[in-house]
Amino acid sequence: MFEILPHRADLRIKVWGAGLEEVFQSALAGMNEVLKPGFCQAERQFSKEVKLELEASDPTVLLVDFLSQVLTASQEQKVIYCKADFENLTSQAVAVKLQGMAVEGFDRDVKAVTYHEAEVKKNEKGEFETVIVFDI
Amino acid sequence: MAIEKNNLKKITDYLWEIPKSFRSDMRVPVRIYATEHMLEEILRDRSSEQAINVTTLPGVQEAVLVMPDAHEGYGFPIGGVAAMLLPDGVISPGGIGYDINCGVRLMKSQKTFEELRPHIPSLARALYEAVPSGVGRGGKLKLNTQELDEVLQKGVKWALEHNYAEENDLEHTESRGTLENADPGAVSAHAKNRGRDQLGTMGAGNHFVEVGRVEKIFDGEAAKTFGLYLGQITIMVHCGSRGLGHQVATDYIRLMLNKLSNYKIILPDRELACAPYSSPEGKSYLAAMAAAANFAWANRQVIMAEIRKAWSKVLGGDGGKLELLYDVAHNIAKIERYQIGGTEKELVIHRKGATRAFPGQPVLIPGSMGTASYVLVGTEEALTQSFGSSCHGAGRRMSRHEALRRVQGDKLKEELQGEGIHIESGSIRGLAEEAPEAYKDIDEVVEVVSRAGIAKKVARLRPVAVVKG
């Protein structure tokens, strides 16, 4: 689950989920909603695929780096990757297959996914949550 | 630890200091250029806390500076200046920003506002069609890797070789539009792929091409030296290194974050990821940053070439020449020499949302749509006080979300047109987000740097047409 929050100059989302995978899925959905609102909500035939594997020191850095790499792939290929199948996801490593569709353009120029305010931690409901800030 | 006004020491009406005793890990104080009223606004977001975090970085000298247009950024505040001692002081990509060499150039025409007036709508339209703008939008130039590497290496020199520039343009660009230490090999394939079709494009957000008129002259002598006069038409361009620069910053922040323990660096904020200048990572980043900076200068040069063509197309031979007054970077790191403790030292100056203001140099300060922009001149005092630096613009004071809530893009466009400002914009939402009320008062911002002595007012420009993505 995600929610778009206010920010003075750029864009923030809050993401949360019962486990890490749900947080990653929510963050991906949130970023795609920023890039092109409504695109991933429609029924689509995915014709583009990319695989990513990365490691990081902790789940926060891992999440931001994961989103960064998806953003890079999106920008380079002009594709929105709506679907993520996680082959492996731990607090320090992720291997994922992403599927998506080509787009003519994006609604938002997301320059980068930042580490600003990002901290994956458990909330009072026992869910994982964090804020992600995009430089736009 | 919350920072309150009574934690600061007032140095002058326009300069305040957070002493290094405020927090135990500060190596130097923070100095904020602001009136008391502006200071209260700056203290409402995290800019000052971010500036304090910057004071903890290895090698930082004298003071971390915050300009009057400051607002919260990533790692460093936007409107921040920090100097680190070479060779072992750190270089931090967050001290430059994701949009490496976002900057401004100003062209001056031989036409007055009255002469141009009947042509403004068609000129604005021609500029909108000539300069590709909008989110992720590519341009006419699609470079292969070898061609792109040449742009990264040579900057505006590449543009000169390919007939997008005149020799005079190089003379009037900061660093002549080329940082010689650029290394295209330090730029990732991802960054090159993001940028290869974006040379000659503006992007979106707060980037623009603006036709203006000189509304007021403050310093007749400096204006004459710059070739500016009352009523003269000018054209300003604001944009940066596009996706290429953004990716360079992302790549190196990640790299440096992973290597912090190698240098025993502990940070209060991941976005301050850094490495010693003398380290392989530090040298590599500086070389990649220089390459991205060269791309941005070449970008603004190609855009200017298109503007010149559009100008000729609309006005014909009667239009006269469009000459470059100057081009400044406001997100960059430079190696410069300053007196520290009575000795001249070599420093890496981080300017993030801050403009170089060397003596006699034009300092270009864009305001928001519908307000004003300024031409200032750098001073000797800036070399002593502010590492040769000044502010960069109006600075945001309202979120995009809030701006969209308060402002309707269609109505704003009508209002601006009612004030004689012709708008060509690809996005009504983008227009609303960039509403004048979303920004600080540019007159106040410029007054502070002028009273502080770090840059002096030369001319104020009023927009007559704005072209945005």
Side-chain angles (χ1 to χ4, degrees), chain B residues 187-221:
Chain B
V187 175
S188 69
H190 289 310
K192 290 178 188 176
N193 288 338
R194 279 180 77 172
R196 70 172 72 252
D197 68 345
Q198 293 189 333
L199 191 67
T201 69
M202 202 200 316
N206 64 357
H207 295 158
F208 61 78
V209 172
E210 183 176 284
V211 182
R213 62 182 166 93
V214 178
E215 179 193 59
K216 186 166 177 171
I217 300 280
F218 298 93
D219 181 338
E221 212 176 295

PDB file of all heavy atoms in Angstrom, chain B residues 187-221:
ATOM      1  N   VAL B 187      31.595   7.950 -16.666  1.00  0.00           N
ATOM      2  CA  VAL B 187      30.132   8.047 -16.773  1.00  0.00           C
ATOM      3  C   VAL B 187      29.598   6.680 -17.200  1.00  0.00           C
ATOM      4  O   VAL B 187      30.071   6.104 -18.181  1.00  0.00           O
ATOM      5  CB  VAL B 187      29.740   9.130 -17.805  1.00  0.00           C
ATOM      6  CG1 VAL B 187      28.229   9.162 -18.019  1.00  0.00           C
ATOM      7  CG2 VAL B 187      30.253  10.486 -17.362  1.00  0.00           C
ATOM      8  N   SER B 188      28.602   6.180 -16.478  1.00  0.00           N
ATOM      9  CA  SER B 188      28.108   4.816 -16.738  1.00  0.00           C
ATOM     10  C   SER B 188      27.344   4.739 -18.062  1.00  0.00           C
ATOM     11  O   SER B 188      26.845   5.753 -18.570  1.00  0.00           O
ATOM     12  CB  SER B 188      27.170   4.374 -15.608  1.00  0.00           C
ATOM     13  OG  SER B 188      25.953   5.127 -15.648  1.00  0.00           O
ATOM     14  N   ALA B 189      27.209   3.536 -18.564  1.00  0.00           N
ATOM     15  CA  ALA B 189      26.406   3.303 -19.774  1.00  0.00           C
ATOM     16  C   ALA B 189      24.958   3.723 -19.536  1.00  0.00           C
ATOM     17  O   ALA B 189      24.300   4.272 -20.426  1.00  0.00           O
ATOM     18  CB  ALA B 189      26.477   1.834 -20.191  1.00  0.00           C
ATOM     19  N   HIS B 190      24.475   3.469 -18.319  1.00  0.00           N
ATOM     20  CA  HIS B 190      23.083   3.871 -18.005  1.00  0.00           C
ATOM     21  C   HIS B 190      22.912   5.373 -18.159  1.00  0.00           C
ATOM     22  O   HIS B 190      21.919   5.848 -18.720  1.00  0.00           O
ATOM     23  CB  HIS B 190      22.731   3.484 -16.558  1.00  0.00           C
ATOM     24  CG  HIS B 190      22.566   2.013 -16.348  1.00  0.00           C
ATOM     25  ND1 HIS B 190      21.762   1.230 -17.150  1.00  0.00           N
ATOM     26  CD2 HIS B 190      23.092   1.190 -15.406  1.00  0.00           C
ATOM     27  CE1 HIS B 190      21.815  -0.023 -16.711  1.00  0.00           C
ATOM     28  NE2 HIS B 190      22.609  -0.074 -15.664  1.00  0.00           N
ATOM     29  N   ALA B 191      23.868   6.129 -17.642  1.00  0.00           N
ATOM     30  CA  ALA B 191      23.779   7.595 -17.721  1.00  0.00           C
ATOM     31  C   ALA B 191      23.809   8.033 -19.184  1.00  0.00           C
ATOM     32  O   ALA B 191      23.043   8.909 -19.599  1.00  0.00           O
ATOM     33  CB  ALA B 191      24.916   8.244 -16.937  1.00  0.00           C
ATOM     34  N   LYS B 192      24.693   7.428 -19.951  1.00  0.00           N
ATOM     35  CA  LYS B 192      24.780   7.796 -21.371  1.00  0.00           C
ATOM     36  C   LYS B 192      23.475   7.450 -22.097  1.00  0.00           C
ATOM     37  O   LYS B 192      22.993   8.218 -22.934  1.00  0.00           O
ATOM     38  CB  LYS B 192      25.975   7.096 -22.021  1.00  0.00           C
ATOM     39  CG  LYS B 192      27.309   7.662 -21.518  1.00  0.00           C
ATOM     40  CD  LYS B 192      28.504   6.946 -22.107  1.00  0.00           C
ATOM     41  CE  LYS B 192      29.778   7.426 -21.421  1.00  0.00           C
ATOM     42  NZ  LYS B 192      30.989   6.710 -21.881  1.00  0.00           N
ATOM     43  N   ASN B 193      22.898   6.295 -21.768  1.00  0.00           N
ATOM     44  CA  ASN B 193      21.639   5.911 -22.421  1.00  0.00           C
ATOM     45  C   ASN B 193      20.511   6.878 -22.075  1.00  0.00           C
ATOM     46  O   ASN B 193      19.668   7.175 -22.902  1.00  0.00           O
ATOM     47  CB  ASN B 193      21.246   4.479 -22.039  1.00  0.00           C
ATOM     48  CG  ASN B 193      22.141   3.451 -22.704  1.00  0.00           C
ATOM     49  OD1 ASN B 193      22.774   3.736 -23.726  1.00  0.00           O
ATOM     50  ND2 ASN B 193      22.213   2.266 -22.138  1.00  0.00           N
ATOM     51  N   ARG B 194      20.511   7.358 -20.852  1.00  0.00           N
ATOM     52  CA  ARG B 194      19.467   8.311 -20.465  1.00  0.00           C
ATOM     53  C   ARG B 194      19.629   9.647 -21.185  1.00  0.00           C
ATOM     54  O   ARG B 194      18.660  10.352 -21.419  1.00  0.00           O
ATOM     55  CB  ARG B 194      19.464   8.538 -18.940  1.00  0.00           C
ATOM     56  CG  ARG B 194      18.740   7.447 -18.158  1.00  0.00           C
ATOM     57  CD  ARG B 194      18.742   7.699 -16.663  1.00  0.00           C
ATOM     58  NE  ARG B 194      17.780   8.709 -16.272  1.00  0.00           N
ATOM     59  CZ  ARG B 194      17.476   9.018 -15.008  1.00  0.00           C
ATOM     60  NH1 ARG B 194      18.080   8.375 -14.029  1.00  0.00           N
ATOM     61  NH2 ARG B 194      16.607   9.956 -14.722  1.00  0.00           N
ATOM     62  N   GLY B 195      20.871   9.983 -21.507  1.00  0.00           N
ATOM     63  CA  GLY B 195      21.097  11.323 -22.046  1.00  0.00           C
ATOM     64  C   GLY B 195      21.287  11.408 -23.547  1.00  0.00           C
ATOM     65  O   GLY B 195      21.277  12.512 -24.095  1.00  0.00           O
ATOM     66  N   ARG B 196      21.447  10.282 -24.229  1.00  0.00           N
ATOM     67  CA  ARG B 196      21.928  10.347 -25.613  1.00  0.00           C
ATOM     68  C   ARG B 196      20.946  11.025 -26.580  1.00  0.00           C
ATOM     69  O   ARG B 196      21.375  11.505 -27.635  1.00  0.00           O
ATOM     70  CB  ARG B 196      22.355   8.977 -26.144  1.00  0.00           C
ATOM     71  CG  ARG B 196      21.295   7.969 -26.389  1.00  0.00           C
ATOM     72  CD  ARG B 196      21.860   6.721 -27.092  1.00  0.00           C
ATOM     73  NE  ARG B 196      22.686   5.885 -26.244  1.00  0.00           N
ATOM     74  CZ  ARG B 196      24.021   5.785 -26.345  1.00  0.00           C
ATOM     75  NH1 ARG B 196      24.679   6.448 -27.275  1.00  0.00           N
ATOM     76  NH2 ARG B 196      24.693   4.990 -25.548  1.00  0.00           N
ATOM     77  N   ASP B 197      19.659  11.065 -26.245  1.00  0.00           N
ATOM     78  CA  ASP B 197      18.746  11.789 -27.142  1.00  0.00           C
ATOM     79  C   ASP B 197      18.231  13.079 -26.499  1.00  0.00           C
ATOM     80  O   ASP B 197      17.215  13.635 -26.938  1.00  0.00           O
ATOM     81  CB  ASP B 197      17.579  10.893 -27.570  1.00  0.00           C
ATOM     82  CG  ASP B 197      16.644  10.552 -26.416  1.00  0.00           C
ATOM     83  OD1 ASP B 197      17.026  10.767 -25.254  1.00  0.00           O
ATOM     84  OD2 ASP B 197      15.526  10.079 -26.691  1.00  0.00           O
ATOM     85  N   GLN B 198      18.929  13.561 -25.479  1.00  0.00           N
ATOM     86  CA  GLN B 198      18.411  14.710 -24.754  1.00  0.00           C
ATOM     87  C   GLN B 198      19.228  15.993 -24.937  1.00  0.00           C
ATOM     88  O   GLN B 198      18.920  17.018 -24.326  1.00  0.00           O
ATOM     89  CB  GLN B 198      18.303  14.375 -23.255  1.00  0.00           C
ATOM     90  CG  GLN B 198      17.228  13.310 -22.994  1.00  0.00           C
ATOM     91  CD  GLN B 198      16.923  13.104 -21.522  1.00  0.00           C
ATOM     92  OE1 GLN B 198      17.768  13.328 -20.663  1.00  0.00           O
ATOM     93  NE2 GLN B 198      15.717  12.670 -21.231  1.00  0.00           N
ATOM     94  N   LEU B 199      20.247  15.945 -25.788  1.00  0.00           N
ATOM     95  CA  LEU B 199      21.035  17.155 -26.028  1.00  0.00           C
ATOM     96  C   LEU B 199      20.189  18.146 -26.823  1.00  0.00           C
ATOM     97  O   LEU B 199      19.636  17.811 -27.866  1.00  0.00           O
ATOM     98  CB  LEU B 199      22.311  16.810 -26.792  1.00  0.00           C
ATOM     99  CG  LEU B 199      23.351  17.930 -26.873  1.00  0.00           C
ATOM    100  CD1 LEU B 199      23.937  18.246 -25.509  1.00  0.00           C
ATOM    101  CD2 LEU B 199      24.469  17.557 -27.840  1.00  0.00           C
ATOM    102  N   GLY B 200      20.081  19.361 -26.304  1.00  0.00           N
ATOM    103  CA  GLY B 200      19.255  20.363 -26.979  1.00  0.00           C
ATOM    104  C   GLY B 200      17.822  20.366 -26.484  1.00  0.00           C
ATOM    105  O   GLY B 200      16.931  20.887 -27.146  1.00  0.00           O
ATOM    106  N   THR B 201      17.594  19.792 -25.300  1.00  0.00           N
ATOM    107  CA  THR B 201      16.228  19.750 -24.742  1.00  0.00           C
ATOM    108  C   THR B 201      16.198  20.390 -23.357  1.00  0.00           C
ATOM    109  O   THR B 201      17.180  20.367 -22.632  1.00  0.00           O
ATOM    110  CB  THR B 201      15.696  18.310 -24.643  1.00  0.00           C
ATOM    111  OG1 THR B 201      16.416  17.598 -23.626  1.00  0.00           O
ATOM    112  CG2 THR B 201      15.832  17.563 -25.958  1.00  0.00           C
ATOM    113  N   MET B 202      15.028  20.900 -23.018  1.00  0.00           N
ATOM    114  CA  MET B 202      14.901  21.687 -21.788  1.00  0.00           C
ATOM    115  C   MET B 202      14.507  20.857 -20.580  1.00  0.00           C
ATOM    116  O   MET B 202      14.892  21.147 -19.460  1.00  0.00           O
ATOM    117  CB  MET B 202      13.825  22.753 -22.024  1.00  0.00           C
ATOM    118  CG  MET B 202      13.933  23.945 -21.112  1.00  0.00           C
ATOM    119  SD  MET B 202      12.413  24.887 -20.996  1.00  0.00           S
ATOM    120  CE  MET B 202      11.851  24.999 -22.666  1.00  0.00           C
ATOM    121  N   GLY B 203      13.686  19.817 -20.792  1.00  0.00           N
ATOM    122  CA  GLY B 203      13.115  19.099 -19.658  1.00  0.00           C
ATOM    123  C   GLY B 203      11.858  19.803 -19.190  1.00  0.00           C
ATOM    124  O   GLY B 203      11.227  20.549 -19.934  1.00  0.00           O
ATOM    125  N   ALA B 204      11.499  19.530 -17.942  1.00  0.00           N
ATOM    126  CA  ALA B 204      10.234  20.062 -17.418  1.00  0.00           C
ATOM    127  C   ALA B 204      10.475  20.721 -16.060  1.00  0.00           C
ATOM    128  O   ALA B 204      11.550  21.243 -15.808  1.00  0.00           O
ATOM    129  CB  ALA B 204       9.224  18.921 -17.328  1.00  0.00           C
ATOM    130  N   GLY B 205       9.457  20.707 -15.208  1.00  0.00           N
ATOM    131  CA  GLY B 205       9.615  21.277 -13.864  1.00  0.00           C
ATOM    132  C   GLY B 205       9.825  22.771 -13.933  1.00  0.00           C
ATOM    133  O   GLY B 205       9.072  23.504 -14.574  1.00  0.00           O
ATOM    134  N   ASN B 206      10.890  23.248 -13.274  1.00  0.00           N
ATOM    135  CA  ASN B 206      11.129  24.692 -13.225  1.00  0.00           C
ATOM    136  C   ASN B 206      12.098  25.153 -14.310  1.00  0.00           C
ATOM    137  O   ASN B 206      12.671  26.234 -14.215  1.00  0.00           O
ATOM    138  CB  ASN B 206      11.606  25.126 -11.830  1.00  0.00           C
ATOM    139  CG  ASN B 206      12.943  24.528 -11.468  1.00  0.00           C
ATOM    140  OD1 ASN B 206      13.513  23.740 -12.227  1.00  0.00           O
ATOM    141  ND2 ASN B 206      13.468  24.887 -10.312  1.00  0.00           N
ATOM    142  N   HIS B 207      12.277  24.346 -15.333  1.00  0.00           N
ATOM    143  CA  HIS B 207      13.134  24.754 -16.454  1.00  0.00           C
ATOM    144  C   HIS B 207      12.323  25.571 -17.452  1.00  0.00           C
ATOM    145  O   HIS B 207      11.123  25.351 -17.617  1.00  0.00           O
ATOM    146  CB  HIS B 207      13.765  23.533 -17.119  1.00  0.00           C
ATOM    147  CG  HIS B 207      14.706  22.826 -16.201  1.00  0.00           C
ATOM    148  ND1 HIS B 207      15.068  21.512 -16.350  1.00  0.00           N
ATOM    149  CD2 HIS B 207      15.374  23.260 -15.098  1.00  0.00           C
ATOM    150  CE1 HIS B 207      15.910  21.177 -15.391  1.00  0.00           C
ATOM    151  NE2 HIS B 207      16.110  22.222 -14.616  1.00  0.00           N
ATOM    152  N   PHE B 208      12.967  26.507 -18.126  1.00  0.00           N
ATOM    153  CA  PHE B 208      12.228  27.396 -19.007  1.00  0.00           C
ATOM    154  C   PHE B 208      13.127  28.124 -19.988  1.00  0.00           C
ATOM    155  O   PHE B 208      14.348  28.179 -19.816  1.00  0.00           O
ATOM    156  CB  PHE B 208      11.471  28.455 -18.179  1.00  0.00           C
ATOM    157  CG  PHE B 208      12.369  29.354 -17.354  1.00  0.00           C
ATOM    158  CD1 PHE B 208      13.077  30.411 -17.928  1.00  0.00           C
ATOM    159  CD2 PHE B 208      12.510  29.143 -15.990  1.00  0.00           C
ATOM    160  CE1 PHE B 208      13.913  31.230 -17.167  1.00  0.00           C
ATOM    161  CE2 PHE B 208      13.345  29.959 -15.216  1.00  0.00           C
ATOM    162  CZ  PHE B 208      14.047  31.000 -15.808  1.00  0.00           C
ATOM    163  N   VAL B 209      12.477  28.693 -20.997  1.00  0.00           N
ATOM    164  CA  VAL B 209      13.090  29.745 -21.817  1.00  0.00           C
ATOM    165  C   VAL B 209      12.218  30.972 -21.569  1.00  0.00           C
ATOM    166  O   VAL B 209      10.989  30.883 -21.653  1.00  0.00           O
ATOM    167  CB  VAL B 209      13.086  29.385 -23.322  1.00  0.00           C
ATOM    168  CG1 VAL B 209      13.557  30.572 -24.158  1.00  0.00           C
ATOM    169  CG2 VAL B 209      13.974  28.175 -23.579  1.00  0.00           C
ATOM    170  N   GLU B 210      12.821  32.089 -21.252  1.00  0.00           N
ATOM    171  CA  GLU B 210      12.038  33.272 -20.904  1.00  0.00           C
ATOM    172  C   GLU B 210      12.522  34.486 -21.695  1.00  0.00           C
ATOM    173  O   GLU B 210      13.703  34.844 -21.654  1.00  0.00           O
ATOM    174  CB  GLU B 210      12.170  33.553 -19.409  1.00  0.00           C
ATOM    175  CG  GLU B 210      11.339  34.736 -18.931  1.00  0.00           C
ATOM    176  CD  GLU B 210      11.448  34.906 -17.427  1.00  0.00           C
ATOM    177  OE1 GLU B 210      10.820  34.129 -16.686  1.00  0.00           O
ATOM    178  OE2 GLU B 210      12.181  35.817 -16.994  1.00  0.00           O
ATOM    179  N   VAL B 211      11.593  35.105 -22.395  1.00  0.00           N
ATOM    180  CA  VAL B 211      11.904  36.376 -23.062  1.00  0.00           C
ATOM    181  C   VAL B 211      11.609  37.466 -22.039  1.00  0.00           C
ATOM    182  O   VAL B 211      10.539  37.471 -21.427  1.00  0.00           O
ATOM    183  CB  VAL B 211      11.035  36.577 -24.321  1.00  0.00           C
ATOM    184  CG1 VAL B 211      11.410  37.876 -25.025  1.00  0.00           C
ATOM    185  CG2 VAL B 211      11.183  35.388 -25.264  1.00  0.00           C
ATOM    186  N   GLY B 212      12.548  38.365 -21.836  1.00  0.00           N
ATOM    187  CA  GLY B 212      12.356  39.411 -20.839  1.00  0.00           C
ATOM    188  C   GLY B 212      12.709  40.774 -21.388  1.00  0.00           C
ATOM    189  O   GLY B 212      13.215  40.898 -22.512  1.00  0.00           O
ATOM    190  N   ARG B 213      12.410  41.807 -20.586  1.00  0.00           N
ATOM    191  CA  ARG B 213      12.866  43.155 -20.952  1.00  0.00           C
ATOM    192  C   ARG B 213      13.564  43.761 -19.739  1.00  0.00           C
ATOM    193  O   ARG B 213      13.200  43.483 -18.593  1.00  0.00           O
ATOM    194  CB  ARG B 213      11.689  44.014 -21.383  1.00  0.00           C
ATOM    195  CG  ARG B 213      10.650  44.241 -20.328  1.00  0.00           C
ATOM    196  CD  ARG B 213       9.497  45.070 -20.884  1.00  0.00           C
ATOM    197  NE  ARG B 213       8.349  45.023 -20.004  1.00  0.00           N
ATOM    198  CZ  ARG B 213       8.085  45.903 -19.039  1.00  0.00           C
ATOM    199  NH1 ARG B 213       8.906  46.927 -18.841  1.00  0.00           N
ATOM    200  NH2 ARG B 213       7.025  45.780 -18.284  1.00  0.00           N
ATOM    201  N   VAL B 214      14.570  44.555 -20.000  1.00  0.00           N
ATOM    202  CA  VAL B 214      15.289  45.232 -18.912  1.00  0.00           C
ATOM    203  C   VAL B 214      14.368  46.321 -18.374  1.00  0.00           C
ATOM    204  O   VAL B 214      14.073  47.300 -19.066  1.00  0.00           O
ATOM    205  CB  VAL B 214      16.622  45.829 -19.397  1.00  0.00           C
ATOM    206  CG1 VAL B 214      17.319  46.559 -18.243  1.00  0.00           C
ATOM    207  CG2 VAL B 214      17.531  44.747 -19.967  1.00  0.00           C
ATOM    208  N   GLU B 215      13.914  46.129 -17.141  1.00  0.00           N
ATOM    209  CA  GLU B 215      12.920  47.024 -16.565  1.00  0.00           C
ATOM    210  C   GLU B 215      13.573  48.125 -15.726  1.00  0.00           C
ATOM    211  O   GLU B 215      13.044  49.233 -15.618  1.00  0.00           O
ATOM    212  CB  GLU B 215      12.000  46.189 -15.682  1.00  0.00           C
ATOM    213  CG  GLU B 215      10.918  46.985 -14.989  1.00  0.00           C
ATOM    214  CD  GLU B 215      10.254  46.166 -13.911  1.00  0.00           C
ATOM    215  OE1 GLU B 215      10.945  45.713 -12.985  1.00  0.00           O
ATOM    216  OE2 GLU B 215       9.036  45.976 -14.008  1.00  0.00           O
ATOM    217  N   LYS B 216      14.703  47.786 -15.112  1.00  0.00           N
ATOM    218  CA  LYS B 216      15.366  48.789 -14.263  1.00  0.00           C
ATOM    219  C   LYS B 216      16.871  48.546 -14.284  1.00  0.00           C
ATOM    220  O   LYS B 216      17.331  47.396 -14.285  1.00  0.00           O
ATOM    221  CB  LYS B 216      14.829  48.652 -12.832  1.00  0.00           C
ATOM    222  CG  LYS B 216      15.349  49.727 -11.900  1.00  0.00           C
ATOM    223  CD  LYS B 216      14.568  49.766 -10.614  1.00  0.00           C
ATOM    224  CE  LYS B 216      15.212  50.821  -9.702  1.00  0.00           C
ATOM    225  NZ  LYS B 216      14.446  51.096  -8.519  1.00  0.00           N
ATOM    226  N   ILE B 217      17.608  49.646 -14.280  1.00  0.00           N
ATOM    227  CA  ILE B 217      19.072  49.569 -14.194  1.00  0.00           C
ATOM    228  C   ILE B 217      19.474  50.108 -12.827  1.00  0.00           C
ATOM    229  O   ILE B 217      19.066  51.210 -12.436  1.00  0.00           O
ATOM    230  CB  ILE B 217      19.739  50.421 -15.297  1.00  0.00           C
ATOM    231  CG1 ILE B 217      19.335  49.945 -16.683  1.00  0.00           C
ATOM    232  CG2 ILE B 217      21.264  50.437 -15.128  1.00  0.00           C
ATOM    233  CD1 ILE B 217      20.063  48.747 -17.218  1.00  0.00           C
ATOM    234  N   PHE B 218      20.269  49.349 -12.094  1.00  0.00           N
ATOM    235  CA  PHE B 218      20.731  49.778 -10.767  1.00  0.00           C
ATOM    236  C   PHE B 218      22.147  50.345 -10.827  1.00  0.00           C
ATOM    237  O   PHE B 218      22.510  51.219 -10.043  1.00  0.00           O
ATOM    238  CB  PHE B 218      20.717  48.595  -9.795  1.00  0.00           C
ATOM    239  CG  PHE B 218      19.352  48.005  -9.573  1.00  0.00           C
ATOM    240  CD1 PHE B 218      18.908  46.935 -10.334  1.00  0.00           C
ATOM    241  CD2 PHE B 218      18.508  48.527  -8.603  1.00  0.00           C
ATOM    242  CE1 PHE B 218      17.652  46.388 -10.136  1.00  0.00           C
ATOM    243  CE2 PHE B 218      17.249  47.975  -8.395  1.00  0.00           C
ATOM    244  CZ  PHE B 218      16.815  46.916  -9.168  1.00  0.00           C
ATOM    245  N   ASP B 219      22.940  49.799 -11.729  1.00  0.00           N
ATOM    246  CA  ASP B 219      24.347  50.195 -11.826  1.00  0.00           C
ATOM    247  C   ASP B 219      24.644  50.477 -13.298  1.00  0.00           C
ATOM    248  O   ASP B 219      24.840  49.560 -14.089  1.00  0.00           O
ATOM    249  CB  ASP B 219      25.229  49.055 -11.279  1.00  0.00           C
ATOM    250  CG  ASP B 219      26.712  49.352 -11.297  1.00  0.00           C
ATOM    251  OD1 ASP B 219      27.171  50.219 -12.080  1.00  0.00           O
ATOM    252  OD2 ASP B 219      27.444  48.694 -10.537  1.00  0.00           O
ATOM    253  N   GLY B 220      24.630  51.779 -13.623  1.00  0.00           N
ATOM    254  CA  GLY B 220      24.761  52.176 -15.033  1.00  0.00           C
ATOM    255  C   GLY B 220      26.065  51.719 -15.653  1.00  0.00           C
ATOM    256  O   GLY B 220      26.117  51.268 -16.797  1.00  0.00           O
ATOM    257  N   GLU B 221      27.130  51.821 -14.857  1.00  0.00           N
ATOM    258  CA  GLU B 221      28.448  51.471 -15.406  1.00  0.00           C
ATOM    259  C   GLU B 221      28.534  49.972 -15.697  1.00  0.00           C
ATOM    260  O   GLU B 221      28.997  49.547 -16.761  1.00  0.00           O
ATOM    261  CB  GLU B 221      29.507  51.852 -14.378  1.00  0.00           C
ATOM    262  CG  GLU B 221      30.818  52.274 -14.993  1.00  0.00           C
ATOM    263  CD  GLU B 221      31.786  52.739 -13.921  1.00  0.00           C
ATOM    264  OE1 GLU B 221      31.504  53.768 -13.267  1.00  0.00           O
ATOM    265  OE2 GLU B 221      32.787  52.022 -13.736  1.00  0.00           O
TER     266      GLU B 221
END
